[in-house]
């Protein structure tokens, strides 16, 4: 769950930003603030902050960003500035802003910036999972990730291909991809592979250590190679 703060003096602007976030990413918790004081007296602990430069008065959002950065003992969030004034763009980077968005917000640019922010947040805070908890046969079942070669999408179900068995349950492979980000990779719309069990690959297929070959989308190949090599370099490969 990613925790997001939306800071803007205008009610409609806050609502619009929150709506854009939810369109991009459902697994988040959004808290809205209309003043810097409200934010500073809040609970904090955010992963991402959308911050209007003109929060109450011109430049007040910048002061809030400086205050956030001066709180050394607290978790430091990514900051994305939102402003209708292009002159503030360069100032944003003085406080280590991740990016900026100009009003009126272009939804396509918002999606691209938000996707990169989420990826950076996950790479920084995500810890290796040991098991996957699913709902199967009316009960919760924990599956060790080291037993899963890959997940396959089939209709409204996901099939887990494991060392000793296959297990089907109702789920969306897209949600599973989000949950297992960094350890599994979506090589094709129908396949999510465990990077620990990749034995080799070509531009058309990925070979697993159990000998199975899975089709890889040509649109996914470059990203897959990058993610796989990073995974191996980090010492996560199972021997």
């Amino acid at each position: 769950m990613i925790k997001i703060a939306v800071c803007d003096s205008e009610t409609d602007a806050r609502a619009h930003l929150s709506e854009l976030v939810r369109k991009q990413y459902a697994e988040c918790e959004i808290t809205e603030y209309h003043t810097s004081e409200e934010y500073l007296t809040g609970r904090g602990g955010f992963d991402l902050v959308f911050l209007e430069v003109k929060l109450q008065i011109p430049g007040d959002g910048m002061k809030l960003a400086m205050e956030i950065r001066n709180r050394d003992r607290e978790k430091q969030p990514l900051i994305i500035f939102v402003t209708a004034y292009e002159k503030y763009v360069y100032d944003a980077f003085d406080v280590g802003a991740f990016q900026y968005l100009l009003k009126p917000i272009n939804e396509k640019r918002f999606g691209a910036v938000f996707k990169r922010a989420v990826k950076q947040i996950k790479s920084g805070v995500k810890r290796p999972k040991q098991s996957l908890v699913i709902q199967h046969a009316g009960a919760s079942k924990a599956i060790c990730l080291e037993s899963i070669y890959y997940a396959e999408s089939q209709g409204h179900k996901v099939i887990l291909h494991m060392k000793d068995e296959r297990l089907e349950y109702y789920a969306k492979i897209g949600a599973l991809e989000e949950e297992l980000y960094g350890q599994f990779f979506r090589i094709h719309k129908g396949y999510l592979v465990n990077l620990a069990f990749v034995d080799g690959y070509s531009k058309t297929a990925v070979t697993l250590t159990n000998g199975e070959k899975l089709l890889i989308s040509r649109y996914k190949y470059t990203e897959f190679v990058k993610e796989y090599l990073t995974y191996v370099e980090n010492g996560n490969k199972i021997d």
Side-chain angles (χ1 to χ4, degrees):
M1 182 69 70
I2 293 177
K3 296 182 179 180
I4 299 172
V6 174
C7 306
D8 197 303
S9 301
E10 299 178 5
T11 302
D12 289 344
R14 292 197 304 274
H16 182 53
L17 273 169
S18 296
E19 181 183 7
L20 287 175
V21 170
R22 293 189 181 97
K23 281 183 179 180
Q24 297 291 327
Y25 194 78
E27 295 180 6
C28 62
E29 178 181 312
I30 304 172
T31 306
E32 296 183 7
Y33 298 102
H34 73 281
T35 67
S36 56
E37 289 81 8
E38 192 174 68
Y39 178 94
L40 292 171
T41 56
R43 59 188 178 128
F46 294 104
D47 300 300
L48 175 62
V49 176
F50 287 94
L51 183 54
E52 164 61 64
V53 175
K54 193 178 178 181
L55 192 53
Q56 288 175 285
I57 57 175
D60 198 47
M62 196 66 65
K63 291 179 181 177
L64 175 55
M66 292 177 183
E67 182 65 27
I68 292 172
R69 290 296 181 239
N70 287 333
R71 294 185 167 190
D72 295 333
R73 296 181 180 179
E74 292 197 3
K75 177 180 180 180
Q76 285 292 319
L78 293 184
I79 296 176
I80 296 177
F81 274 102
V82 183
T83 180
Y85 303 90
E86 197 166 358
K87 65 181 180 180
Y88 287 115
V89 167
Y90 297 106
D91 294 335
F93 297 105
D94 290 338
V95 290
F98 175 76
Q99 198 43 273
Y100 68 90
L101 296 167
L102 288 174
K103 292 181 177 180
I105 297 173
N106 179 285
E107 191 165 342
K108 184 176 180 180
R109 173 168 166 76
F110 179 92
V113 169
F114 186 78
K115 183 178 180 179
R116 294 205 326 268
V118 169
K119 186 172 183 179
Q120 182 162 320
I121 290 166
K122 286 187 172 184
S123 66
V125 303
K126 193 170 182 68
R127 290 171 173 76
K129 290 172 65 71
Q130 300 298 318
S131 62
L132 171 69
V133 178
I134 66 171
Q135 293 300 311
H136 180 69
S140 295
K141 182 178 179 66
I143 312 258
C144 177
L145 292 185
E146 291 188 6
S147 70
I148 304 172
Y149 284 105
Y150 66 98
E152 179 184 1
S153 176
Q154 192 172 96
H156 298 291
K157 292 183 178 181
V158 165
I159 303 172
L160 298 180
H161 294 258
M162 298 182 286
K163 292 181 178 180
D164 302 315
E165 63 176 323
R166 287 181 15 154
L167 191 151
E168 294 185 14
Y169 69 106
Y170 287 98
K172 293 182 178 179
I173 199 167
L176 188 60
E177 178 185 9
E178 290 286 348
E179 183 176 355
L180 301 180
Y181 176 86
Q183 295 167 264
F184 285 64
F185 188 86
R186 186 90 169 268
I187 61 170
H188 184 275
K189 64 180 181 180
Y191 300 123
L192 183 66
V193 300
N194 188 339
L195 294 174
F197 292 114
V198 173
D199 190 49
Y201 55 87
S202 67
K203 289 189 176 181
T204 58
V206 170
T207 304
L208 303 180
T209 55
N210 66 351
E212 287 191 69
K213 288 188 177 182
L214 303 175
L215 182 69
I216 183 171
S217 166
R218 62 192 177 101
Y219 301 108
K220 291 283 191 176
Y221 177 77
T222 301
E223 188 181 356
F224 163 74
V225 172
K226 181 181 177 181
E227 291 292 331
Y228 176 66
L229 292 178
T230 298
Y231 185 84
V232 172
E233 287 170 4
N234 289 336
N236 295 313
K237 194 82 169 67
I238 295 175
D239 297 324

